[in-house]
Amino acid sequence: MFTIVHDQVTKPMDIERQEHPLEVNEAAEQLISQNGSQDAHDTMQASGDFSMSVDFGVSTDFVFETPKLGMVFQSDNHAYEFYYRYARSLGFSVRKNSSTHRANKTISRRVFCCSKEGFRCPHSRGPPVKSRPQTRTDCKARLVIKLQDDGRYSVVEFIKKHNHELSPPSEVHTVRSQQKLQHPQAGGIIEDNHFARIGSPSIYSCTPSLDDGGAQDINFMQVDCNNYLFRRSRNEILEKGDAQFLLDYFKQKQKDDPYFFYAIRMDSNNQLSSSFWCDAKSRIDYSFFSDTVCFDSTYKLNVYNKPYASFVGVNNHGKFILFGCALTLDDTTESLVWLFRTFSDAMNGKQPKTVFTDPALSLSEAIRQVWPNTHHRFGLWHIYEEAKKHLTEMFENFKSFKIDFESCIYESETEEEFQSRWNSFIGKYSLAQNEWLQGLYHMREKLGHVYGREYFCAGLSAGQGSEGMNKFLKKYFKRTIPLREFVVMYEKVLMVLREKEKHQDSCSRQTKPDLHTMWPAEARASERYTRKVFLLFQEEYVRTLDLFAEVSDEYGTNFTYMVSSFENVKPCIVRYDTSDNTVKCSCRKFEFMGILCAHALKILHSRRLLDIPLQYYLKRWTKDARSGAVVNDDNQSVNLASCSPITVQRNELAHMAHTLAVKGSTSEKSSAFARRLLAQALEEMDIFLEIDFNQPKST
């Protein structure tokens, strides 16, 4: 049972996040309504994500006035603009370094420094996967202003000398602080060409100043043109009325489905920044299959690479299911923290045991903040996709490189085997100095298939959750699909997945798999497991034919076996206790996958057990995985005491109806019987309500 999300709910906000408040439902509705009538172009200009500046018309071959002690400015912004123009004329970048404030928050002292001031501090989590070039030289050049009694600012310190080479006029536009897209440029050449559907590279190359050979006169580079169009696309995606449409859609869904959950986040300019939603079925699915989640944002919704983020799980058939959908405008740590907290709210605070993501540092930090007790791993599919980007030449020049890389990452079963394969791989292709591989090795403990096999992963280690979901989405979503069509198509995707799941349920219950032996445990496993999972179990059992076991140690009821195969692979150590029939293998497949490995099955078979011990039938893999009450993160039934009496009653009735639907859908006969019961109940309820309505009410 779930707590209903009321329209008035607003997330608490700490001091550090006040610039980007999180608004949910009705609060967001008011903001969207206020902005709904604004033109998309005007909204874009108001966005806090885009920096506009005034074109001062400063020529790059003109040396601006040199700052002097005692110079006076009306405000600290005027002082910054003055130093900025001076820096442009000389060819260096400036940065707002530090400031002090008075009790009324007025700036009393401000330091503007060269962007090469100081040195970059080493990251606390080690070197990043993607290294950045060093840009700091501890330059001492600076301009310091101080507030006077008359409210103006005067220059109290000026250091002119730099300890690095300055940029020549022809390269001044590449200096960071000088890369400002001027308003006339944004509203002119770029806008006109963009509306004519000319690509970003062509737009930049068609700029008049470039035709004259003067890129330094336009104040921006190709990447700035790309970024401008990306930010502008925010309002093309959320074109006039789209934000209101999204909110109306959410409200209607919540009317139709009291368990429907949604949340909307606004930025500092009251523009729609992120959204998340999930329906009742997704929330109930999560309550049963929350052990493993794959968070994937690799599928991009449109030509501007707007990320569609999905929370993917694995059901009792080993197939992926959707727990929720999100649309985000960036992948910063702050945005991801909001998204993960919102997801937890939707799922009654129940946290996943293991979560798979791509290797982005922002994701690692967000998970550390929101789900500190969740085991974080990198999906191997994500790793492979990143490898193709960072090792392009190796993939193109060596046909064996792909095979060797996959063998190293995908096929290693133990940490020792991974280390051996890694050293051989690095040495063969002379990659010891490759910084991306060094970073990957530094984070090797998050590689899903090799390290941390004591954590349950539901088979997601190979990354099929992300890879499969991407392939599936491409069947339904075009890159240029409008937002309105997307939310409708998302519903259809859910319907398709759930219809397939119904077929799998029916197949598991209505058919029987072929058995390979007369071992009673095989037959009983086929009765408990779903069809897909039983086939995986059966594969492990068939593998026992290639294994032989020898007792290496015996102490009371505890036996230690060395289980080997004819492939001359390193033997596995299996420990078995006859007092309670517990079995544990060094390969840790059961801990990792939830299905006993061939080594353990070999011992149980040799001990002539008629059935697998019940503790090794994980309920999440059985046909009855969805039976039972919805629970929270403490494995307790969700407490609805904080809800209104009407909400509690509605939740209880909805849960009873859902239970009836689950049990009634097992066969055609049970489905027909359930329909008759529900139809009879509805008729009797209508009669009851009519009688109750006509009875006099007590005062």
Side-chain angles (χ1 to χ4, degrees):
M1 294 185 290
F2 296 100
T3 302
I4 301 301
V5 180
H6 298 284
D7 287 345
Q8 291 81 12
V9 173
T10 302
K11 281 282 291 182
M13 179 177 60
D14 54 44
I15 297 176
E16 298 175 344
R17 301 172 65 219
Q18 285 184 357
E19 292 185 359
H20 300 278
L22 182 157
E23 305 289 349
V24 178
N25 302 339
E26 188 170 320
E29 176 187 5
Q30 297 173 359
L31 294 175
I32 292 176
S33 299
Q34 293 171 5
N35 293 310
S37 61
Q38 293 183 2
D39 180 75
H41 180 62
D42 294 334
T43 306
M44 176 276 301
Q45 293 182 1
S47 170
D49 296 332
F50 179 64
S51 176
M52 287 289 187
S53 63
V54 179
D55 188 356
F56 291 98
V58 180
S59 174
T60 54
D61 56 2
F62 169 74
V63 179
F64 198 73
E65 180 182 2
T66 302
K68 298 181 180 62
L69 295 180
M71 274 187 166
V72 178
F73 302 94
Q74 294 296 324
S75 67
D76 64 311
N77 286 332
H78 283 87
Y80 172 76
E81 293 294 348
F82 172 84
Y83 195 49
Y84 159 80
R85 287 179 283 172
Y86 168 75
R88 180 175 179 81
S89 68
L90 264 65
F92 69 93
S93 180
V94 298
R95 189 174 76 243
K96 295 179 180 179
N97 189 13
S98 62
S99 61
T100 56
H101 299 74
R102 293 183 176 178
N104 61 0
K105 297 185 179 182
T106 302
I107 296 176
S108 59
R109 186 176 183 273
R110 168 79 81 177
V111 178
F112 305 114
C113 66
C114 174
S115 63
K116 294 183 178 292
E117 180 268 343
F119 294 104
R120 182 184 301 159
C121 298
H123 203 284
S124 60
R125 292 189 298 275
V129 175
K130 184 178 181 180
S131 61
R132 295 182 299 165
Q134 290 291 336
T135 58
R136 305 286 185 91
T137 63
D138 197 26
C139 181
K140 303 299 183 183
R142 61 169 54 191
L143 179 75
V144 183
I145 59 174
K146 189 174 181 180
L147 183 64
Q148 299 181 145
D149 294 337
D150 60 1
R152 297 187 298 173
Y153 291 85
S154 63
V155 177
V156 296
E157 181 182 356
F158 171 61
I159 300 178
K160 181 179 181 180
K161 187 176 180 181
H162 296 262
N163 66 353
H164 56 89
E165 184 179 358
L166 301 178
S167 299
S170 61
E171 299 176 5
V172 70
H173 65 293
T174 65
V175 178
R176 185 171 183 178
S177 70
Q178 307 300 334
Q179 296 174 20
K180 291 190 176 183
L181 209 57
Q182 309 295 345
H183 179 74
Q185 296 166 335
I189 298 298
I190 295 180
E191 291 286 346
D192 293 341
N193 283 278
H194 175 64
F195 286 134
R197 298 194 177 278
I198 297 176
S200 176
S202 300
I203 293 176
Y204 182 73
S205 62
C206 290
T207 305
S209 295
L210 291 178
D211 294 337
D212 298 333
Q216 67 275 11
D217 295 329
I218 62 174
N219 281 12
F220 66 95
M221 303 169 61
Q222 175 71 67
V223 66
D224 300 302
C225 181
N226 297 343
N227 289 339
Y228 172 78
L229 291 176
F230 171 78
R231 288 162 182 150
R232 188 193 184 286
S233 71
R234 165 197 187 112
N235 299 281
E236 289 186 343
I237 296 166
L238 299 177
E239 59 191 16
K240 185 177 180 181
D242 269 2
Q244 186 63 50
F245 164 80
L246 196 61
L247 182 62
D248 292 342
Y249 169 81
F250 289 158
K251 293 179 69 177
Q252 183 59 47
K253 291 295 293 183
Q254 200 169 64
K255 285 182 180 179
D256 299 338
D257 176 5
Y259 295 127
F260 185 86
F261 179 98
Y262 72 91
I264 292 176
R265 182 178 186 238
M266 316 300 289
D267 64 12
S268 58
N269 292 302
N270 293 341
Q271 300 299 313
L272 180 61
S273 173
S274 303
S275 60
F276 170 83
W277 68 95
C278 60
D279 64 3
K281 180 67 164 59
S282 294
R283 300 176 75 187
I284 294 174
D285 284 345
Y286 181 81
S287 71
F288 294 119
F289 305 113
S290 61
D291 42 29
T292 303
V293 172
C294 176
F295 175 76
D296 182 60
S297 59
T298 57
Y299 185 83
K300 307 302 180 182
L301 180 57
N302 55 51
V303 292
Y304 295 102
N305 290 328
K306 178 182 174 61
Y308 152 78
S310 59
F311 292 87
V312 182
V314 179
N315 64 13
N316 53 334
H317 301 284
K319 301 296 184 180
F320 53 76
I321 51 178
L322 286 169
F323 293 142
C325 173
L327 294 175
T328 61
L329 289 176
D330 58 58
D331 55 358
T332 61
T333 298
E334 181 185 14
S335 294
L336 292 169
V337 165
W338 175 86
L339 183 55
F340 293 156
R341 285 177 177 169
T342 302
F343 179 79
S344 293
D345 290 343
M347 305 304 172
N348 295 294
K350 192 177 182 68
Q351 299 183 8
K353 300 290 189 298
T354 301
V355 61
F356 283 87
T357 72
D358 63 66
L361 293 177
S362 57
L363 279 167
S364 297
E365 177 61 22
I367 291 172
R368 186 190 66 81
Q369 292 185 33
V370 182
W371 296 328
N373 298 322
T374 295
H375 184 60
H376 182 205
R377 304 179 113 161
F378 297 149
L380 296 187
W381 181 73
H382 291 125
I383 296 295
Y384 185 68
E385 289 299 302
E386 288 294 314
K388 289 193 294 185
K389 297 177 184 177
H390 294 278
L391 303 171
T392 305
E393 293 184 0
M394 304 302 295
F395 278 97
E396 293 177 349
N397 297 334
F398 300 95
K399 293 183 179 180
S400 62
F401 185 81
K402 178 178 181 292
I403 298 175
D404 292 341
F405 181 78
E406 291 179 350
S407 174
C408 179
I409 301 297
Y410 287 77
E411 298 178 10
S412 300
E413 294 287 343
T414 64
E415 297 179 15
E416 294 79 10
E417 185 179 355
F418 170 78
Q419 189 64 59
S420 175
R421 289 175 182 265
W422 180 271
N423 293 336
S424 176
F425 171 75
I426 294 296
K428 180 178 179 179
Y429 296 100
S430 303
L431 294 171
Q433 302 302 317
N434 185 276
E435 295 183 355
W436 182 80
L437 286 173
Q438 289 177 358
L440 181 63
Y441 181 79
H442 180 75
M443 297 184 294
R444 62 190 179 280
E445 292 184 0
K446 290 187 177 182
L447 290 177
H449 193 61
V450 181
Y451 290 84
R453 290 180 67 88
E454 67 272 20
Y455 297 98
F456 182 74
C457 294
L460 273 179
S461 62
Q464 74 270 27
S466 297
E467 182 179 20
M469 184 57 70
N470 265 264
K471 291 180 179 179
F472 183 81
L473 291 173
K474 288 177 181 178
K475 297 179 182 178
Y476 294 91
F477 300 122
K478 297 179 180 179
R479 296 275 178 177
T480 56
I481 187 172
L483 178 64
R484 300 180 183 218
E485 292 183 25
F486 173 81
V487 294
V488 176
M489 287 302 300
Y490 178 76
E491 273 196 73
K492 293 183 179 179
V493 169
L494 285 177
M495 291 177 60
V496 171
L497 289 175
R498 289 166 184 175
E499 283 301 316
K500 289 184 177 180
E501 187 176 50
K502 289 179 182 178
H503 175 74
Q504 293 156 0
D505 286 337
S506 177
C507 181
S508 293
R509 294 185 183 278
Q510 303 302 321
T511 63
K512 293 183 178 180
D514 294 329
L515 303 181
H516 294 338
T517 69
M518 297 300 293
W519 188 31
E522 184 186 11
R524 294 178 182 178
S526 70
E527 295 170 358
R528 293 189 175 101
Y529 285 134
T530 60
R531 171 61 69 88
K532 175 68 175 179
V533 177
F534 172 73
L535 293 178
L536 296 176
F537 168 85
Q538 201 172 48
E539 288 179 7
E540 292 297 320
Y541 178 49
V542 171
R543 285 185 57 205
T544 63
L545 300 175
D546 185 45
L547 301 177
F548 51 91
E550 298 177 352
V551 178
S552 63
D553 190 23
E554 179 181 351
Y555 182 76
T557 60
N558 295 295
F559 292 80
T560 301
Y561 294 85
M562 302 295 290
V563 182
S564 307
S565 75
F566 292 101
E567 297 177 348
N568 296 321
V569 195
K570 181 181 178 181
C572 287
I573 301 173
V574 180
R575 293 180 172 84
Y576 175 70
D577 189 343
T578 59
S579 64
D580 56 5
N581 289 327
T582 56
V583 61
K584 190 171 184 178
C585 181
S586 60
C587 76
R588 294 182 173 178
K589 177 155 189 167
F590 178 77
E591 292 84 353
F592 187 70
M593 181 68 183
I595 301 174
L596 283 177
C597 62
H599 316 103
L601 291 176
K602 182 70 176 181
I603 303 305
L604 296 180
H605 184 272
S606 65
R607 302 293 302 194
R608 299 183 180 180
L609 268 69
L610 300 180
D611 194 5
I612 305 299
L614 291 180
Q615 64 264 35
Y616 298 111
Y617 284 110
L618 285 193
K619 184 179 179 181
R620 63 113 52 236
W621 291 132
T622 67
K623 300 173 185 178
D624 299 322
R626 285 185 169 84
S627 64
V630 178
V631 297
N632 60 14
D633 199 33
D634 298 321
N635 206 33
Q636 299 174 345
S637 296
V638 175
N639 180 18
L640 299 178
S642 59
C643 301
S644 66
I646 294 178
T647 299
V648 175
Q649 295 165 13
R650 182 170 55 186
N651 289 344
E652 291 177 348
L653 291 172
H655 178 64
M656 292 175 65
H658 175 73
T659 303
L660 176 63
V662 170
K663 292 183 177 180
S665 61
T666 56
S667 68
E668 292 184 4
K669 289 184 179 180
S670 63
S671 178
F673 180 67
R675 286 193 184 96
R676 288 198 300 270
L677 289 177
L678 288 172
Q680 181 181 350
L682 287 173
E683 289 179 4
E684 294 182 2
M685 177 56 68
D686 289 337
I687 296 173
F688 171 81
L689 292 175
E690 184 177 357
I691 296 174
D692 183 66
F693 178 78
N694 293 326
Q695 286 181 350
K697 303 297 187 293
S698 58
T699 57

